[in-house]
Amino acid sequence: MLGIILTQTKTFIIGPVAQLLGYIMEGIFFCLDKIGIPNIGLSIILFTIVIYLLMTPLTIKQQKFSKLSAKMNPEIQAIRAKYEGKKDNDSMMRMNEETQAVYAKYGVSPTGSCVQLLVQMPILFALYRVIYAVPAYVAKVKEAFFPLVDKLISEPGSAEFIQSFKDAAVFAKQFTSEEFTGGNTEYIRNTFVDVLNRASTAEWHSISEKFPALTSDVNSTVETLERYNNFLGINIGNSPSYIVTEAIAAGAYLMVVAAFAIPLLSALTQWINTKLMPQQTTDDRDNPMASSMKTMNVMMPIMSAFFCYTLPAGMGIYWIAGSVIRSIQQIIINKHMDKVDLDEVIKKNVEKRNQKLKKAGIDPNAINNYASMNTRNITAKASAQSSLSQEERDKRLQKSTEYYHTNAKPGSIAAKANMVKQYNEKNNKK
């Protein structure tokens, strides 16, 4: 899919979000340029700070849900243990109903944390895209590749030559697309910028060797990009693995230490970040998800170190900055959450849930009454229905939840609420 690789991604949802974040990144670089420090590394750090600050409300909501989950998890686990090994339809439905009653008690939705994650995921993917392809979103950086790119395009065999670059394979489809072969000037220019943006120092030198007439333009472009990419003496356009190789060959062992520092710091900050996150307190045997999270918490720092060693150092700076910011953010949120009255949060959640039910035409009290009634009568219903076939039990269940209400779907919460309402009305008449 070409849209994933083009200078500005056109991927569904991520594309527009990346464009919006690109404006923020460009604004930051513009301000730094105005004060005389046009630096991509510093821009990435400031950009990461701004984005994570904007996502703070979502993070707080997610932490509140985690706190509530920890409090109600024993009740959920008790229900699961109660129905362990029971796979028949009635048992599964009763387990689901009792579980829903617990969520209703705390005023939360089973998918409560998913909403925050669904909102954050496109932002994080778009954030990665902007940092990985800075020239696509920061006009000043893209301008640094010109007039070299225009002159290089006019040189015979230039397209074939830059396709021999190490990372050019990622853009192979762009070189064979109709827009490229058809002569779409902007598409061709973007493709050249994409490849050159990931070119190593040795590959830049090879351009001068292959096309001597462009030596001056190559030197000028490299000088500008190095000024933009220089962060604490490291060219963040190169990967630490490349920097280590070049530094060893040149005998610059201090640079080797600096290059290794990026993946090591990334792993360390990632590990600290996982330790600050709220931890599950339940036994892993009762909660497989907690065991998976522990494994992931061990693997993530290792994976972070590997990727930061092989990807451009700019990505490593982003990962380090992101981990540091999340850690600071988490410390502040943890202090805030320690002061939060969970009973008050639960009360507010229940009130919000009741208001939503009322707007939907459902009596919240009827729902709660049904949950209580259903729990009390589980044993009696199980005994009465044990002699019926599965098909007969399904028919009775569907019939019992129709309640002559045309606007309620059989078996839905609204239908069950109507059942309780009719039951109460009959009792009141008596």
Side-chain angles (χ1 to χ4, degrees), residues 166 239-246 259 308-311:
K166 182 181 177 181
S239 66
S241 60
Y242 175 83
I243 295 173
V244 168
T245 302
E246 291 292 301
C308 286
Y309 186 70
T310 56
L311 291 173

Side-chain angles (χ1 to χ4, degrees), residues 120-414:
Q120 291 183 55
M121 287 305 289
I123 296 175
L124 294 176
F125 279 121
L127 181 70
Y128 171 86
R129 175 61 193 178
V130 171
I131 293 172
Y132 199 63
V134 171
Y137 300 94
V138 181
K140 187 76 174 178
V141 177
K142 188 174 182 178
E143 287 173 6
F145 290 87
F146 298 93
L148 172 63
V149 167
D150 288 332
K151 293 181 178 180
L152 187 59
I153 290 172
S154 63
E155 290 288 336
S158 59
E160 291 76 13
F161 176 71
I162 66 170
Q163 286 182 71
S164 65
F165 287 7
K166 182 181 177 181
D167 292 331
V170 179
F171 309 101
K173 290 183 178 179
Q174 287 181 232
F175 286 98
T176 57
S177 71
E178 291 183 5
E179 292 185 78
F180 191 94
T181 56
N184 184 324
T185 305
E186 190 60 28
Y187 188 96
I188 295 171
R189 296 170 93 209
N190 287 340
T191 301
F192 270 68
V193 171
D194 282 337
V195 176
L196 294 177
N197 184 49
R198 297 177 65 170
S200 65
T201 303
E203 288 169 339
W204 278 102
H205 290 160
S206 70
I207 297 175
S208 297
E209 294 173 1
K210 178 69 175 179
F211 307 102
L214 302 180
T215 300
S216 176
D217 294 293
V218 169
N219 292 339
S220 177
T221 302
V222 169
E223 182 182 344
T224 303
L225 291 176
E226 284 184 346
R227 181 160 53 91
Y228 290 168
N229 285 322
N230 186 287
F231 185 77
L232 301 179
I234 296 176
N235 184 341
I236 62 174
N238 293 326
S239 66
S241 60
Y242 175 83
I243 295 173
V244 168
T245 302
E246 291 292 301
I248 291 176
Y253 297 107
L254 187 61
M255 190 63 70
V256 173
V257 174
F260 272 118
I262 293 175
L264 291 175
L265 281 174
S266 178
L268 177 62
T269 53
Q270 186 78 35
W271 178 79
I272 293 172
N273 189 240
T274 58
K275 290 298 180 183
L276 290 171
M277 293 293 289
Q279 304 295 318
Q280 290 285 348
T281 56
T282 55
D283 194 328
D284 290 350
R285 291 172 295 180
D286 297 328
N287 189 1
M289 184 65 73
S291 179
S292 299
M293 284 299 295
K294 284 187 176 180
T295 302
M296 188 163 57
N297 288 344
V298 173
M299 293 302 298
M300 279 301 293
I302 298 173
M303 292 173 61
S304 173
F306 172 76
F307 286 125
C308 286
Y309 186 70
T310 56
L311 291 173
M315 288 304 303
I317 290 174
Y318 155 62
W319 281 24
I320 294 169
S323 294
V324 170
I325 294 162
R326 285 196 303 273
S327 296
I328 296 171
Q329 192 180 53
Q330 194 62 56
I331 291 171
I332 296 171
I333 290 174
N334 287 345
K335 288 184 178 180
H336 168 72
M337 292 304 297
D338 288 340
K339 298 177 183 178
V340 170
D341 185 347
L342 282 183
D343 292 331
E344 187 63 28
V345 172
I346 292 170
K347 182 180 177 181
K348 290 181 180 179
N349 286 344
V350 171
E351 288 176 356
K352 288 180 182 179
R353 174 180 171 275
N354 290 344
Q355 289 175 1
K356 289 181 180 179
L357 290 174
K358 287 178 180 178
K359 287 182 180 180
I362 302 172
D363 183 3
N365 294 324
I367 299 290
N368 295 331
N369 289 340
Y370 170 76
S372 300
M373 181 178 66
N374 182 72
T375 304
R376 289 195 304 268
N377 294 329
I378 283 176
T379 305
K381 287 182 180 179
S383 177
Q385 294 182 6
S386 59
S387 60
L388 299 176
S389 66
Q390 184 65 47
E391 183 179 355
E392 183 63 26
R393 277 181 282 177
D394 291 342
K395 286 181 179 179
R396 288 195 178 191
L397 178 63
Q398 182 174 353
K399 184 178 180 181
S400 67
T401 55
E402 288 175 356
Y403 318 124
Y404 310 102
H405 193 284
T406 57
N407 294 326
K409 181 180 178 181
S412 67
I413 292 178

Side-chain angles (χ1 to χ4, degrees), residues 65 68-69 72 99-100 102-104 106-116 349 353 356:
F65 183 85
L68 290 174
S69 295
M72 68 184 182
T99 302
Q100 291 293 337
V102 173
Y103 280 106
Y106 289 91
V108 297
S109 167
T111 58
S113 63
C114 295
V115 176
Q116 283 79 36
N349 286 344
R353 174 180 171 275
K356 289 181 180 179

